Amino acid sequence: MAREIENFKFEHRHGKDRVRVGRVWRNKDGRYFFVEWNVSISLLSDCLPAYLLDDNSDIVATDTMKNTVYVKAKECSEQISMEDFAILLAKHFTSFYRQVTGAIIKIVEKPWERVYIDGQEHEHGFKLGSEKHTTEVFVKKSGALQVTSGIEGLALLKTTMSGFEGFIRDKYTVLPETRERILATEVTASWRYSYESLSSIPQKPYYFTDRYLDVKKVLVETFYGPPKQGVYSPSVQNTLHHMAKSVLNRFLDISSVQLKMPNIHFLPVNLKNKDDETIVKFNDDVYLPTDEPHGSIEASLSRFWSKM
């Protein structure tokens, strides 16, 4: 919250970070479901006296916020999406406490995924995966809402159908042009939903989880192209734009997309020995993987009516 105090602009919020919670559900068939969430809470509240007058009577203690996460997780008797849980928490804080005018809930899901044994899904076994599902929810006391979901650590690589040429060349340039290279990146993506109020959220149990999986599928398929022939990438920039545009074209409930795609380099290996004899001659086959330094490419794409 922002206030003017003695000719100064004063903004404040408080919350609790890194509240880790694991939740197990068991359905009627005896099958187990498991999630592990890392929850961060930030409250916008009318507790100015705590800062100015040593009066804590309007503060929601951060320990109380932590406990609320576990209480609300316990109350969720049915499996719930991460976004819906964030909305549930935000609604609680803005309705239960008169001092709280807004709540921002951020959650990162640890990527536990079900184990397959002999081609069959295990009833209660899970292993750790790779990319992480993220969300950020902002709810105001008025019922106004913003929901953003995302992916962190989506590692993608293709060994051909990628190049980079026609870029600016000057006295500082040593990078050769090419139409044949490895394209590798670790995608961080976020997308904002078009819903602007609590009452507009779809009342479907797994709506946000399903949409997360749908968006991830579109991002991956656009990056690689068809299984047999693939799709040529003239630059990370071009591929990024196609990925973002594919998401917006496919899902009308998403108003904007932001992508960060570092260009993780695989350098051609050419080696000569002490007698200047070539012992490794690069033929699009042997590379030196590097992660530092790497190219940094990011962009956002939104509909004209988006408020991103």
Side-chain angles (χ1 to χ4, degrees), residues 96-111:
F96 192 77
Y97 299 102
R98 62 172 178 78
Q99 298 90 342
V100 177
T101 59
I104 301 170
I105 310 296
K106 299 179 182 180
I107 305 179
V108 178
E109 182 170 292
K110 198 164 186 176

PDB file of all heavy atoms in Angstrom, residues 96-111:
ATOM      1  N   PHE A  96     -11.260 -12.522   5.587  1.00  0.00           N
ATOM      2  CA  PHE A  96     -11.220 -12.825   7.026  1.00  0.00           C
ATOM      3  C   PHE A  96     -10.684 -11.645   7.831  1.00  0.00           C
ATOM      4  O   PHE A  96     -11.088 -11.446   8.984  1.00  0.00           O
ATOM      5  CB  PHE A  96     -10.344 -14.065   7.248  1.00  0.00           C
ATOM      6  CG  PHE A  96     -10.461 -14.648   8.624  1.00  0.00           C
ATOM      7  CD1 PHE A  96     -11.563 -15.411   8.992  1.00  0.00           C
ATOM      8  CD2 PHE A  96      -9.466 -14.441   9.563  1.00  0.00           C
ATOM      9  CE1 PHE A  96     -11.671 -15.952  10.259  1.00  0.00           C
ATOM     10  CE2 PHE A  96      -9.568 -14.977  10.842  1.00  0.00           C
ATOM     11  CZ  PHE A  96     -10.670 -15.729  11.190  1.00  0.00           C
ATOM     12  N   TYR A  97      -9.788 -10.861   7.256  1.00  0.00           N
ATOM     13  CA  TYR A  97      -9.166  -9.744   7.980  1.00  0.00           C
ATOM     14  C   TYR A  97      -9.622  -8.420   7.366  1.00  0.00           C
ATOM     15  O   TYR A  97      -9.377  -8.161   6.187  1.00  0.00           O
ATOM     16  CB  TYR A  97      -7.642  -9.846   7.915  1.00  0.00           C
ATOM     17  CG  TYR A  97      -7.096 -11.105   8.540  1.00  0.00           C
ATOM     18  CD1 TYR A  97      -6.688 -12.174   7.748  1.00  0.00           C
ATOM     19  CD2 TYR A  97      -7.007 -11.234   9.926  1.00  0.00           C
ATOM     20  CE1 TYR A  97      -6.191 -13.336   8.320  1.00  0.00           C
ATOM     21  CE2 TYR A  97      -6.512 -12.394  10.506  1.00  0.00           C
ATOM     22  CZ  TYR A  97      -6.110 -13.443   9.697  1.00  0.00           C
ATOM     23  OH  TYR A  97      -5.628 -14.588  10.270  1.00  0.00           O
ATOM     24  N   ARG A  98     -10.263  -7.586   8.166  1.00  0.00           N
ATOM     25  CA  ARG A  98     -10.749  -6.302   7.659  1.00  0.00           C
ATOM     26  C   ARG A  98      -9.586  -5.402   7.235  1.00  0.00           C
ATOM     27  O   ARG A  98      -9.726  -4.544   6.368  1.00  0.00           O
ATOM     28  CB  ARG A  98     -11.590  -5.594   8.726  1.00  0.00           C
ATOM     29  CG  ARG A  98     -10.830  -5.249   9.999  1.00  0.00           C
ATOM     30  CD  ARG A  98     -11.628  -4.385  10.949  1.00  0.00           C
ATOM     31  NE  ARG A  98     -10.889  -4.112  12.186  1.00  0.00           N
ATOM     32  CZ  ARG A  98      -9.917  -3.217  12.298  1.00  0.00           C
ATOM     33  NH1 ARG A  98      -9.568  -2.508  11.233  1.00  0.00           N
ATOM     34  NH2 ARG A  98      -9.284  -3.027  13.448  1.00  0.00           N
ATOM     35  N   GLN A  99      -8.408  -5.596   7.842  1.00  0.00           N
ATOM     36  CA  GLN A  99      -7.263  -4.733   7.538  1.00  0.00           C
ATOM     37  C   GLN A  99      -6.660  -5.038   6.166  1.00  0.00           C
ATOM     38  O   GLN A  99      -5.979  -4.197   5.577  1.00  0.00           O
ATOM     39  CB  GLN A  99      -6.162  -4.898   8.596  1.00  0.00           C
ATOM     40  CG  GLN A  99      -6.589  -4.506  10.008  1.00  0.00           C
ATOM     41  CD  GLN A  99      -7.179  -5.688  10.776  1.00  0.00           C
ATOM     42  OE1 GLN A  99      -7.574  -6.694  10.160  1.00  0.00           O
ATOM     43  NE2 GLN A  99      -7.247  -5.566  12.091  1.00  0.00           N
ATOM     44  N   VAL A 100      -6.876  -6.233   5.659  1.00  0.00           N
ATOM     45  CA  VAL A 100      -6.215  -6.669   4.425  1.00  0.00           C
ATOM     46  C   VAL A 100      -7.022  -6.236   3.213  1.00  0.00           C
ATOM     47  O   VAL A 100      -8.178  -6.617   3.061  1.00  0.00           O
ATOM     48  CB  VAL A 100      -6.011  -8.195   4.421  1.00  0.00           C
ATOM     49  CG1 VAL A 100      -5.397  -8.649   3.095  1.00  0.00           C
ATOM     50  CG2 VAL A 100      -5.122  -8.614   5.591  1.00  0.00           C
ATOM     51  N   THR A 101      -6.393  -5.444   2.354  1.00  0.00           N
ATOM     52  CA  THR A 101      -7.067  -4.955   1.151  1.00  0.00           C
ATOM     53  C   THR A 101      -6.706  -5.749  -0.096  1.00  0.00           C
ATOM     54  O   THR A 101      -7.406  -5.689  -1.104  1.00  0.00           O
ATOM     55  CB  THR A 101      -6.723  -3.477   0.916  1.00  0.00           C
ATOM     56  OG1 THR A 101      -5.303  -3.339   0.768  1.00  0.00           O
ATOM     57  CG2 THR A 101      -7.189  -2.621   2.088  1.00  0.00           C
ATOM     58  N   GLY A 102      -5.608  -6.478  -0.029  1.00  0.00           N
ATOM     59  CA  GLY A 102      -5.196  -7.280  -1.169  1.00  0.00           C
ATOM     60  C   GLY A 102      -4.211  -8.353  -0.745  1.00  0.00           C
ATOM     61  O   GLY A 102      -3.488  -8.191   0.245  1.00  0.00           O
ATOM     62  N   ALA A 103      -4.197  -9.445  -1.481  1.00  0.00           N
ATOM     63  CA  ALA A 103      -3.285 -10.554  -1.169  1.00  0.00           C
ATOM     64  C   ALA A 103      -2.654 -11.062  -2.451  1.00  0.00           C
ATOM     65  O   ALA A 103      -3.343 -11.273  -3.457  1.00  0.00           O
ATOM     66  CB  ALA A 103      -4.023 -11.687  -0.459  1.00  0.00           C
ATOM     67  N   ILE A 104      -1.335 -11.235  -2.406  1.00  0.00           N
ATOM     68  CA  ILE A 104      -0.584 -11.801  -3.528  1.00  0.00           C
ATOM     69  C   ILE A 104      -0.037 -13.147  -3.078  1.00  0.00           C
ATOM     70  O   ILE A 104       0.715 -13.225  -2.095  1.00  0.00           O
ATOM     71  CB  ILE A 104       0.568 -10.883  -3.951  1.00  0.00           C
ATOM     72  CG1 ILE A 104       0.034  -9.509  -4.355  1.00  0.00           C
ATOM     73  CG2 ILE A 104       1.361 -11.511  -5.105  1.00  0.00           C
ATOM     74  CD1 ILE A 104       1.119  -8.467  -4.558  1.00  0.00           C
ATOM     75  N   ILE A 105      -0.411 -14.197  -3.766  1.00  0.00           N
ATOM     76  CA  ILE A 105       0.033 -15.548  -3.441  1.00  0.00           C
ATOM     77  C   ILE A 105       0.843 -16.089  -4.605  1.00  0.00           C
ATOM     78  O   ILE A 105       0.372 -16.123  -5.741  1.00  0.00           O
ATOM     79  CB  ILE A 105      -1.168 -16.489  -3.170  1.00  0.00           C
ATOM     80  CG1 ILE A 105      -2.154 -15.873  -2.170  1.00  0.00           C
ATOM     81  CG2 ILE A 105      -0.666 -17.854  -2.695  1.00  0.00           C
ATOM     82  CD1 ILE A 105      -1.596 -15.648  -0.790  1.00  0.00           C
ATOM     83  N   LYS A 106       2.070 -16.485  -4.313  1.00  0.00           N
ATOM     84  CA  LYS A 106       2.929 -17.115  -5.310  1.00  0.00           C
ATOM     85  C   LYS A 106       3.210 -18.549  -4.878  1.00  0.00           C
ATOM     86  O   LYS A 106       3.511 -18.789  -3.704  1.00  0.00           O
ATOM     87  CB  LYS A 106       4.249 -16.354  -5.461  1.00  0.00           C
ATOM     88  CG  LYS A 106       4.096 -14.917  -5.921  1.00  0.00           C
ATOM     89  CD  LYS A 106       5.454 -14.239  -6.025  1.00  0.00           C
ATOM     90  CE  LYS A 106       5.322 -12.774  -6.436  1.00  0.00           C
ATOM     91  NZ  LYS A 106       6.645 -12.112  -6.536  1.00  0.00           N
ATOM     92  N   ILE A 107       3.116 -19.471  -5.827  1.00  0.00           N
ATOM     93  CA  ILE A 107       3.370 -20.886  -5.518  1.00  0.00           C
ATOM     94  C   ILE A 107       4.226 -21.491  -6.623  1.00  0.00           C
ATOM     95  O   ILE A 107       4.007 -21.250  -7.811  1.00  0.00           O
ATOM     96  CB  ILE A 107       2.065 -21.693  -5.384  1.00  0.00           C
ATOM     97  CG1 ILE A 107       1.124 -21.063  -4.343  1.00  0.00           C
ATOM     98  CG2 ILE A 107       2.369 -23.135  -5.000  1.00  0.00           C
ATOM     99  CD1 ILE A 107      -0.185 -21.808  -4.177  1.00  0.00           C
ATOM    100  N   VAL A 108       5.225 -22.266  -6.198  1.00  0.00           N
ATOM    101  CA  VAL A 108       6.025 -23.068  -7.117  1.00  0.00           C
ATOM    102  C   VAL A 108       5.818 -24.534  -6.737  1.00  0.00           C
ATOM    103  O   VAL A 108       5.978 -24.906  -5.580  1.00  0.00           O
ATOM    104  CB  VAL A 108       7.522 -22.705  -7.040  1.00  0.00           C
ATOM    105  CG1 VAL A 108       8.330 -23.595  -7.985  1.00  0.00           C
ATOM    106  CG2 VAL A 108       7.734 -21.230  -7.368  1.00  0.00           C
ATOM    107  N   GLU A 109       5.459 -25.336  -7.732  1.00  0.00           N
ATOM    108  CA  GLU A 109       5.208 -26.759  -7.483  1.00  0.00           C
ATOM    109  C   GLU A 109       6.457 -27.573  -7.781  1.00  0.00           C
ATOM    110  O   GLU A 109       7.045 -27.457  -8.865  1.00  0.00           O
ATOM    111  CB  GLU A 109       4.053 -27.241  -8.345  1.00  0.00           C
ATOM    112  CG  GLU A 109       3.696 -28.710  -8.124  1.00  0.00           C
ATOM    113  CD  GLU A 109       2.401 -29.090  -8.813  1.00  0.00           C
ATOM    114  OE1 GLU A 109       1.341 -28.598  -8.384  1.00  0.00           O
ATOM    115  OE2 GLU A 109       2.466 -29.855  -9.803  1.00  0.00           O
ATOM    116  N   LYS A 110       6.873 -28.378  -6.832  1.00  0.00           N
ATOM    117  CA  LYS A 110       7.990 -29.285  -7.068  1.00  0.00           C
ATOM    118  C   LYS A 110       7.515 -30.390  -8.012  1.00  0.00           C
ATOM    119  O   LYS A 110       6.430 -30.957  -7.820  1.00  0.00           O
ATOM    120  CB  LYS A 110       8.486 -29.881  -5.750  1.00  0.00           C
ATOM    121  CG  LYS A 110       9.874 -30.472  -5.817  1.00  0.00           C
ATOM    122  CD  LYS A 110      10.465 -30.690  -4.435  1.00  0.00           C
ATOM    123  CE  LYS A 110      11.909 -31.141  -4.505  1.00  0.00           C
ATOM    124  NZ  LYS A 110      12.521 -31.273  -3.164  1.00  0.00           N
ATOM    125  N   PRO A 111       8.299 -30.715  -9.046  1.00  0.00           N
ATOM    126  CA  PRO A 111       7.793 -31.566 -10.125  1.00  0.00           C
ATOM    127  C   PRO A 111       7.795 -33.070  -9.831  1.00  0.00           C
ATOM    128  O   PRO A 111       8.459 -33.859 -10.519  1.00  0.00           O
ATOM    129  CB  PRO A 111       8.720 -31.222 -11.293  1.00  0.00           C
ATOM    130  CG  PRO A 111      10.009 -30.846 -10.652  1.00  0.00           C
ATOM    131  CD  PRO A 111       9.640 -30.164  -9.367  1.00  0.00           C
TER     132      PRO A 111
END
